[in-house]
Amino acid sequence: DIQMTQSPSSLSASVGDRVTITCRASQSISSYVNWYQQKPGKAPNLLIYAASSLQSGVPSRFSGSGSGTDFTLTISSLQPEDFATYYCQQSYTTPIAFGQGTRLEIK
Amino acid sequence: QVQLQQSGPGLVKPSQTLSLTCAISGDSVSSNSAAWNWIRQSPSRGLEWLGRTYYRSKWYNDYAVSVKSRITINPDTSKNQFSLQLKSVTPEDTALYYCVREGTISTFGYWGRGTLVTVSS
């Protein structure tokens, strides 16, 4: 099975900061990574698919990159509504797996 | 716009069967381009994919190894819904359960609101 390891597990940042979250797959998965944002009491929301494609309606300050085993989610300028938990997910093969999450908190 | 409406009990006794249903609107459970998943979330396990059902000229199922001996996901074409049954539950199965539509390249674009299921006597 493919494991997804995110880092850091938590992160404190300020409005306007540039933030990068990393996800590493236990084996090569080409570009089959999706990223989600989850706010308290809500289901996860798709942000990025296929490693770097922005889901419709998602602000352009979100971007994704990577291929193979190493992937990143970047928020170029943090807004107050971006403080949430972020998850990566591999869509290369079953069983589908998620990273453990990165909690982004206000500094 | 796809909407997923979950239903089922929030409390299940140990050793019994957890049963949840997800009613679909705005799409078809028999769609050739979607798959219908159950994902659960708990503080100890995070987001855990449990399995899916989908139709590609015939019905297929995929299940997570961790629950493969206990899980069944079934489509119901007459009601345009799908269901989850998880047998022999223990307190470790306590979690928030989501039904989720999987689109192209396994993107989870539509989620139900979640059902908190507690396993307790």
Side-chain angles (χ1 to χ4, degrees):
Chain A
D1 296 358
I2 297 172
Q3 278 79 49
M4 305 295 285
T5 303
Q6 276 183 247
S7 60
S9 56
S10 65
L11 175 59
S12 294
S14 301
V15 172
D17 283 355
R18 180 183 180 90
V19 167
T20 297
I21 297 168
T22 297
C23 187
R24 174 164 289 176
S26 59
Q27 65 185 72
S28 178
I29 56 172
S30 184
S31 297
Y32 290 92
V33 163
N34 307 317
W35 289 94
Y36 300 83
Q37 176 193 68
Q38 187 177 31
K39 295 183 178 180
K42 299 292 187 181
N45 181 50
L46 178 65
L47 298 175
I48 301 285
Y49 63 94
S52 60
S53 296
L54 194 66
Q55 173 71 353
S56 175
V58 174
S60 59
R61 62 181 179 273
F62 291 92
S63 64
S65 65
S67 66
T69 60
D70 295 316
F71 303 88
T72 58
L73 172 70
T74 299
I75 309 171
S76 61
S77 178
L78 273 174
Q79 298 303 299
E81 60 269 28
D82 299 338
F83 292 95
T85 301
Y86 293 84
Y87 295 93
C88 60
Q89 172 233 333
Q90 68 85 7
S91 57
Y92 184 73
T93 188
T94 54
I96 293 167
F98 292 87
Q100 78 277 18
T102 295
R103 184 175 179 183
L104 180 52
E105 300 173 320
I106 301 174
K107 184 183 286 185
Chain B
Q1 179 77 338
V2 176
Q3 292 188 323
L4 303 173
Q5 181 67 44
Q6 299 181 218
S7 59
L11 180 63
V12 182
K13 289 182 166 52
S15 80
Q16 294 191 342
T17 297
L18 180 161
S19 296
L20 297 174
T21 299
C22 184
I24 303 164
S25 58
D27 202 345
S28 170
V29 71
S30 303
S31 167
N32 274 293
S33 60
W36 306 95
N37 293 252
W38 288 96
I39 293 170
R40 67 184 179 184
Q41 185 172 30
S42 64
S44 59
R45 294 174 177 260
L47 284 166
E48 181 183 15
W49 177 80
L50 298 177
R52 65 185 179 186
T53 189
Y54 58 100
Y55 186 77
R56 301 290 186 268
S57 302
K58 67 174 186 176
W59 288 101
Y60 293 89
N61 288 98
D62 295 312
Y63 297 129
V65 171
S66 61
V67 295
K68 193 168 187 175
S69 63
R70 301 191 291 131
I71 191 173
T72 304
I73 296 176
N74 281 326
D76 183 341
T77 57
S78 66
K79 295 181 179 179
N80 200 33
Q81 64 186 29
F82 63 109
S83 63
L84 167 69
Q85 288 197 313
L86 189 64
K87 300 184 297 186
S88 306
V89 297
T90 72
E92 286 66 45
D93 294 309
T94 293
L96 183 59
Y97 286 75
Y98 290 103
C99 62
V100 189
R101 179 190 184 275
E102 176 186 349
T104 55
I105 48 173
S106 293
T107 54
F108 295 127
Y110 297 95
W111 297 64
R113 298 185 72 170
T115 301
L116 178 60
V117 178
T118 300
V119 179
S120 175
S121 54

